[in-house]
Each structure stands twice: as structure tokens, then as C-alpha cells.
Amino acid sequence: MITYAECAQRLSLPASAAEHWEATWDESSVAMPRGAPAFVQDDFIDDLCTLSGLGDDARAALRCAAAQIRHEPCLARLAWQVHWLLYLASPEQRRRGKALPPGGADQPAGNAFLYALAVLGDLPRLRRYYCHHHIDDQVLADTMRDFAIWTDDFFKKNGRYGCSSWQWLSNHLTPNLFRLGRLQFQFSRWKYPYRVYQHRLEPQQLAIFPNADLPVNTDGFFCQEQEAATVTTRFQADAETICGHAVTPKGLISLQATTLSVDDWRCAIAPNDLMLAIHIPAGEALATDACRDALRQARQFFPRHFPNFRFKGFCCGSWLFDPQLGSYLPPDSNIMQFQTLFRLFPALGGNDWQIRERVFGDPKLPLAAVPQRSSLQRAVLAHIRAGKAWRSGCAVVV
């Protein structure tokens, strides 16, 4: 039996890895299959490649990575430890370890697929889950295509194939995330510091109120660090009225308080209500009709397959929902048309990290080095150089 100390030395694991795996190492050894785990065998790899739509070069790299794990006992043992903690350990055992290292951690022996394969190794059970809930195989294939998307993303950033999004892919295997058409939908709850009200006679009208005592700047955004507050929000709801600093149709917090009558408005979304969180996978144009169709599919899919999940609406946080984009992009652009599908509201702590990551490819690039090939890249840079701050925003639809 390979001890944890032997494995850690052989693979040059960081000292911090011990808190993840050492305490349960001997227990998982008992369940370790003879040889290498099933999820690094050729038949599993071929199935995963076909299901996720990996390109030929990426498939070849994945097969090489799996073969390396099969032939190196310490790599096979570590892959099993991660997989076992994720899917086979008892709740008590999981409390004594952490299955996955943090995103961006070095991958042992240069194997850029090991942790992702340990996560994806529960694919046979996932297939049974989809079958039990009568979910079409195409939804599974569309959902698992994320593996190919993130593998290609890894190549763009590193010049070789791999996958470092193992934490994200664990959502697909749980499963609590499904791709329907252009968008992904995830089981979630309303955790934004807002309450959403809906007009009783005109339900398409929403009134969004932030919680009380939150600092807001002169532009209607929540204050960033060291930014002076123009107003501090207030909110009060009783048997007759709702009063507070409502979000304007442009997605900004009004500096003036608004009062509504409960005879005309009802609370549609309150803290901790069940929601479907939207994620926007890369790889395709953000066509408005396709996004609208995805929302339509979700309204049918979840009541049909998960009738006990009585969600109140859809929510999303993204750089795409910064209302300042409207000052630079034409109204008929995909991004601006996508915004029209939702009601926007400011994110608490919204900053420019995500827009710099998605638009420039690396949020840490100095401004002198960011690419300027597209009009969007040039607009994002011009905004920053003008001394203005980008702020990732949020959106909701009931």
C-alpha cells in the first residue's frame, strides 16, 4: 500500500495538501480497486470524449494523461483519493478531508487532467440519475460539453491541453446544473441583498429594493472601498406600504426613496427563496433569440423533471449586466439585447475583475499590455483610462 507520505514525496505535493487527503488516506485505500481506477481506463475516456465533444487534439492529450495515471501508481492513488472523497466517503469522512485542491493549484507530475478526471469519474452514476429523472440524453451531452469548453480555454491560456476547472465541473456531476440551449441553469437561492416586488395587475412590472443601511455613490452603485456614500439605503415594509431606494429601470439605485402600496404590489422574491441561477457558457454568440428560447426551455424543464423545486425566478451575476456598457455599445448589440431580457440591479462589491478577465483574457494584465483588437476591448480600456470603474452587475426575471 502506498502511504500518503510516499505519494506526497513522489509527486512533490505542497505541504497544504496534507489537510485535504492525509487523514482519510488509509480508509480510502481499502476501497481502492486493483490497478488504476475505472475513470482512467480507455473505454471511459472514449465515452467521455464522445459525450463532451472534445476535439481530436484534446482527445489525444486526454488519452495520454489517462495513460500516465494508469502507469504511475502514485498518480492513480491520488486520483482515487480525490474521487473517493467526492463520491464514496461517508459524511463523517468528508468532514476530515477536502476532496479538491483550490482552483489554479499545481497539477501533480504535470498531469493537467488528473483532478478533472477524478471529478468526471462519476459519469456512470450521472447517466443513471438522468435516466431516473427522464432527462433526455441530449441535455446530458450539452451539459457535459462544458468539459470541452474549459479544456480549450486551458489550451488558449497555457499552450497545452488540460482542465483546471475541476471545482466548476463538480456542479455538473452533483448534479445541480443543466445546459438548456444557449444557457446553463443551476439550483440556487436568492442571496442578493434585495427584495423583489411584482405589480399585482401588471406582473411584468418589478420593483427591486435593496436592504437598508447600504452605502450608495452618486451614480447609483454600491460604494466600493474608500468611495464616499451619497446616500445610505433605507427599506421598510408594513401592512400598507413598501418604502425604500428602489432600483431604476436603468439598473441603478435611486438616490430618492420610493413608496409603493401593498394593495398594488406583492413580494415576489424574498431572502433564501428558491431560484434558478443562470450561467453563460463561452463558445457561441450571445444571440437574444437563443437566450430567450433557453429561458422558455427552463420554465418547462424544471417543473417537468424536478416538480418539488418551486423556483421563484431566474437570477444571474455577470460583467454583462454593468449598465455602463450601454454608453459604449449599440442598442442592437448582443450584449445590450441580452440585458433587455432581465431587470438589472447593482452587485454588492461589483468590480472590474470579471470584465477584464473576459474581455482581455487576463484580469492582471497591465493596461499598457491589454489587447485592443475589438471595439469592446477598446471601450473597456477607454472607460478605465477615463478614471471610471467597471462594476459587474446582477439581473433577475420572475
Side-chain angles (χ1 to χ4, degrees), residues 61 115 128 131 138 172 195 197 231 238 264 316 327 362 381:
Y115 296 132
R128 295 192 296 272
C131 182
Q138 188 60 53
H172 303 53
R195 285 173 171 78
Y197 289 82
V231 298
D238 55 34
D264 299 325
C316 184
S327 299
D362 183 350
L381 178 60

PDB file of all heavy atoms in Angstrom, residues 61 115 128 131 138 172 195 197 231 238 264 316 327 362 381:
ATOM      1  N   ALA A  61      -4.560  14.364 -26.043  1.00  0.00           N
ATOM      2  CA  ALA A  61      -3.923  14.805 -24.805  1.00  0.00           C
ATOM      3  C   ALA A  61      -4.573  14.143 -23.591  1.00  0.00           C
ATOM      4  O   ALA A  61      -3.879  13.751 -22.640  1.00  0.00           O
ATOM      5  CB  ALA A  61      -4.010  16.327 -24.695  1.00  0.00           C
ATOM      6  N   TYR A 115      -7.191  15.967 -11.730  1.00  0.00           N
ATOM      7  CA  TYR A 115      -8.295  16.338 -10.843  1.00  0.00           C
ATOM      8  C   TYR A 115      -9.624  16.374 -11.596  1.00  0.00           C
ATOM      9  O   TYR A 115     -10.662  15.972 -11.054  1.00  0.00           O
ATOM     10  CB  TYR A 115      -8.013  17.697 -10.193  1.00  0.00           C
ATOM     11  CG  TYR A 115      -6.801  17.696  -9.297  1.00  0.00           C
ATOM     12  CD1 TYR A 115      -5.837  18.700  -9.412  1.00  0.00           C
ATOM     13  CD2 TYR A 115      -6.604  16.704  -8.348  1.00  0.00           C
ATOM     14  CE1 TYR A 115      -4.716  18.705  -8.602  1.00  0.00           C
ATOM     15  CE2 TYR A 115      -5.483  16.703  -7.535  1.00  0.00           C
ATOM     16  CZ  TYR A 115      -4.534  17.705  -7.661  1.00  0.00           C
ATOM     17  OH  TYR A 115      -3.424  17.702  -6.852  1.00  0.00           O
ATOM     18  N   ARG A 128     -27.252   7.376 -14.804  1.00  0.00           N
ATOM     19  CA  ARG A 128     -28.406   6.751 -14.131  1.00  0.00           C
ATOM     20  C   ARG A 128     -29.336   7.813 -13.553  1.00  0.00           C
ATOM     21  O   ARG A 128     -30.562   7.664 -13.583  1.00  0.00           O
ATOM     22  CB  ARG A 128     -27.921   5.798 -13.043  1.00  0.00           C
ATOM     23  CG  ARG A 128     -27.141   4.589 -13.580  1.00  0.00           C
ATOM     24  CD  ARG A 128     -26.949   3.537 -12.507  1.00  0.00           C
ATOM     25  NE  ARG A 128     -26.137   3.995 -11.397  1.00  0.00           N
ATOM     26  CZ  ARG A 128     -24.810   3.906 -11.340  1.00  0.00           C
ATOM     27  NH1 ARG A 128     -24.136   3.384 -12.366  1.00  0.00           N
ATOM     28  NH2 ARG A 128     -24.144   4.340 -10.285  1.00  0.00           N
ATOM     29  N   CYS A 131     -31.396   9.253 -16.295  1.00  0.00           N
ATOM     30  CA  CYS A 131     -32.408   8.275 -16.687  1.00  0.00           C
ATOM     31  C   CYS A 131     -33.544   8.238 -15.668  1.00  0.00           C
ATOM     32  O   CYS A 131     -34.729   8.207 -16.035  1.00  0.00           O
ATOM     33  CB  CYS A 131     -31.763   6.905 -16.827  1.00  0.00           C
ATOM     34  SG  CYS A 131     -32.892   5.607 -17.371  1.00  0.00           S
ATOM     35  N   GLN A 138     -29.652  14.265 -24.819  1.00  0.00           N
ATOM     36  CA  GLN A 138     -29.080  15.462 -25.435  1.00  0.00           C
ATOM     37  C   GLN A 138     -28.762  16.518 -24.385  1.00  0.00           C
ATOM     38  O   GLN A 138     -27.780  17.260 -24.524  1.00  0.00           O
ATOM     39  CB  GLN A 138     -30.035  16.033 -26.482  1.00  0.00           C
ATOM     40  CG  GLN A 138     -29.441  17.174 -27.303  1.00  0.00           C
ATOM     41  CD  GLN A 138     -28.203  16.741 -28.069  1.00  0.00           C
ATOM     42  OE1 GLN A 138     -28.223  15.756 -28.794  1.00  0.00           O
ATOM     43  NE2 GLN A 138     -27.106  17.487 -27.920  1.00  0.00           N
ATOM     44  N   HIS A 172     -21.676  19.846 -12.364  1.00  0.00           N
ATOM     45  CA  HIS A 172     -22.303  19.039 -13.407  1.00  0.00           C
ATOM     46  C   HIS A 172     -22.537  17.606 -12.936  1.00  0.00           C
ATOM     47  O   HIS A 172     -23.475  16.947 -13.375  1.00  0.00           O
ATOM     48  CB  HIS A 172     -21.418  19.009 -14.656  1.00  0.00           C
ATOM     49  CG  HIS A 172     -21.088  20.360 -15.214  1.00  0.00           C
ATOM     50  ND1 HIS A 172     -20.540  21.378 -14.465  1.00  0.00           N
ATOM     51  CD2 HIS A 172     -21.212  20.863 -16.465  1.00  0.00           C
ATOM     52  CE1 HIS A 172     -20.360  22.444 -15.229  1.00  0.00           C
ATOM     53  NE2 HIS A 172     -20.756  22.163 -16.452  1.00  0.00           N
ATOM     54  N   ARG A 195     -35.044  42.801  -2.095  1.00  0.00           N
ATOM     55  CA  ARG A 195     -36.353  42.171  -2.206  1.00  0.00           C
ATOM     56  C   ARG A 195     -36.989  42.630  -3.516  1.00  0.00           C
ATOM     57  O   ARG A 195     -36.823  43.785  -3.910  1.00  0.00           O
ATOM     58  CB  ARG A 195     -37.252  42.524  -1.026  1.00  0.00           C
ATOM     59  CG  ARG A 195     -36.889  41.789   0.261  1.00  0.00           C
ATOM     60  CD  ARG A 195     -37.698  42.314   1.434  1.00  0.00           C
ATOM     61  NE  ARG A 195     -37.525  41.502   2.623  1.00  0.00           N
ATOM     62  CZ  ARG A 195     -36.474  41.544   3.437  1.00  0.00           C
ATOM     63  NH1 ARG A 195     -35.490  42.401   3.170  1.00  0.00           N
ATOM     64  NH2 ARG A 195     -36.398  40.773   4.502  1.00  0.00           N
ATOM     65  N   TYR A 197     -40.458  43.041  -5.759  1.00  0.00           N
ATOM     66  CA  TYR A 197     -41.916  43.123  -5.718  1.00  0.00           C
ATOM     67  C   TYR A 197     -42.456  43.121  -7.139  1.00  0.00           C
ATOM     68  O   TYR A 197     -41.820  43.590  -8.076  1.00  0.00           O
ATOM     69  CB  TYR A 197     -42.356  44.389  -4.971  1.00  0.00           C
ATOM     70  CG  TYR A 197     -42.087  44.306  -3.484  1.00  0.00           C
ATOM     71  CD1 TYR A 197     -40.822  44.596  -2.972  1.00  0.00           C
ATOM     72  CD2 TYR A 197     -43.092  43.909  -2.603  1.00  0.00           C
ATOM     73  CE1 TYR A 197     -40.569  44.497  -1.612  1.00  0.00           C
ATOM     74  CE2 TYR A 197     -42.840  43.816  -1.237  1.00  0.00           C
ATOM     75  CZ  TYR A 197     -41.576  44.105  -0.752  1.00  0.00           C
ATOM     76  OH  TYR A 197     -41.322  43.991   0.598  1.00  0.00           O
ATOM     77  N   VAL A 231     -25.838  58.472  -0.473  1.00  0.00           N
ATOM     78  CA  VAL A 231     -26.973  58.124   0.394  1.00  0.00           C
ATOM     79  C   VAL A 231     -26.698  56.764   1.004  1.00  0.00           C
ATOM     80  O   VAL A 231     -25.889  55.983   0.508  1.00  0.00           O
ATOM     81  CB  VAL A 231     -28.314  58.072  -0.384  1.00  0.00           C
ATOM     82  CG1 VAL A 231     -28.660  59.415  -0.992  1.00  0.00           C
ATOM     83  CG2 VAL A 231     -28.296  56.986  -1.435  1.00  0.00           C
ATOM     84  N   ASP A 238     -44.535  47.394   5.615  1.00  0.00           N
ATOM     85  CA  ASP A 238     -45.522  47.079   6.645  1.00  0.00           C
ATOM     86  C   ASP A 238     -46.807  46.633   5.969  1.00  0.00           C
ATOM     87  O   ASP A 238     -46.809  46.284   4.780  1.00  0.00           O
ATOM     88  CB  ASP A 238     -45.752  48.277   7.575  1.00  0.00           C
ATOM     89  CG  ASP A 238     -46.143  49.541   6.828  1.00  0.00           C
ATOM     90  OD1 ASP A 238     -46.840  49.432   5.794  1.00  0.00           O
ATOM     91  OD2 ASP A 238     -45.760  50.646   7.272  1.00  0.00           O
ATOM     92  N   ASP A 264     -51.205  47.291  -4.425  1.00  0.00           N
ATOM     93  CA  ASP A 264     -50.826  47.188  -5.834  1.00  0.00           C
ATOM     94  C   ASP A 264     -49.645  46.252  -6.078  1.00  0.00           C
ATOM     95  O   ASP A 264     -49.450  45.783  -7.204  1.00  0.00           O
ATOM     96  CB  ASP A 264     -50.469  48.574  -6.379  1.00  0.00           C
ATOM     97  CG  ASP A 264     -51.630  49.545  -6.299  1.00  0.00           C
ATOM     98  OD1 ASP A 264     -52.784  49.095  -6.476  1.00  0.00           O
ATOM     99  OD2 ASP A 264     -51.382  50.736  -6.043  1.00  0.00           O
ATOM    100  N   CYS A 316     -28.891  36.133 -12.110  1.00  0.00           N
ATOM    101  CA  CYS A 316     -27.571  35.989 -12.719  1.00  0.00           C
ATOM    102  C   CYS A 316     -26.690  37.152 -12.299  1.00  0.00           C
ATOM    103  O   CYS A 316     -27.174  38.289 -12.185  1.00  0.00           O
ATOM    104  CB  CYS A 316     -27.688  35.944 -14.247  1.00  0.00           C
ATOM    105  SG  CYS A 316     -26.124  35.651 -15.129  1.00  0.00           S
ATOM    106  N   SER A 327     -23.301  52.847 -22.588  1.00  0.00           N
ATOM    107  CA  SER A 327     -22.687  54.092 -23.060  1.00  0.00           C
ATOM    108  C   SER A 327     -21.696  53.852 -24.195  1.00  0.00           C
ATOM    109  O   SER A 327     -21.247  54.805 -24.840  1.00  0.00           O
ATOM    110  CB  SER A 327     -21.964  54.793 -21.897  1.00  0.00           C
ATOM    111  OG  SER A 327     -22.883  55.134 -20.868  1.00  0.00           O
ATOM    112  N   ASP A 362      -7.107  38.159 -19.273  1.00  0.00           N
ATOM    113  CA  ASP A 362      -6.354  38.069 -18.021  1.00  0.00           C
ATOM    114  C   ASP A 362      -6.619  39.338 -17.223  1.00  0.00           C
ATOM    115  O   ASP A 362      -6.251  40.433 -17.670  1.00  0.00           O
ATOM    116  CB  ASP A 362      -4.861  37.911 -18.308  1.00  0.00           C
ATOM    117  CG  ASP A 362      -4.023  37.751 -17.046  1.00  0.00           C
ATOM    118  OD1 ASP A 362      -4.549  37.954 -15.936  1.00  0.00           O
ATOM    119  OD2 ASP A 362      -2.822  37.423 -17.181  1.00  0.00           O
ATOM    120  N   LEU A 381     -11.107  49.615 -22.136  1.00  0.00           N
ATOM    121  CA  LEU A 381      -9.883  50.323 -21.773  1.00  0.00           C
ATOM    122  C   LEU A 381     -10.128  51.829 -21.663  1.00  0.00           C
ATOM    123  O   LEU A 381      -9.643  52.483 -20.718  1.00  0.00           O
ATOM    124  CB  LEU A 381      -8.792  50.051 -22.811  1.00  0.00           C
ATOM    125  CG  LEU A 381      -7.460  50.764 -22.574  1.00  0.00           C
ATOM    126  CD1 LEU A 381      -6.857  50.358 -21.232  1.00  0.00           C
ATOM    127  CD2 LEU A 381      -6.485  50.477 -23.703  1.00  0.00           C
TER     128      LEU A 381
END
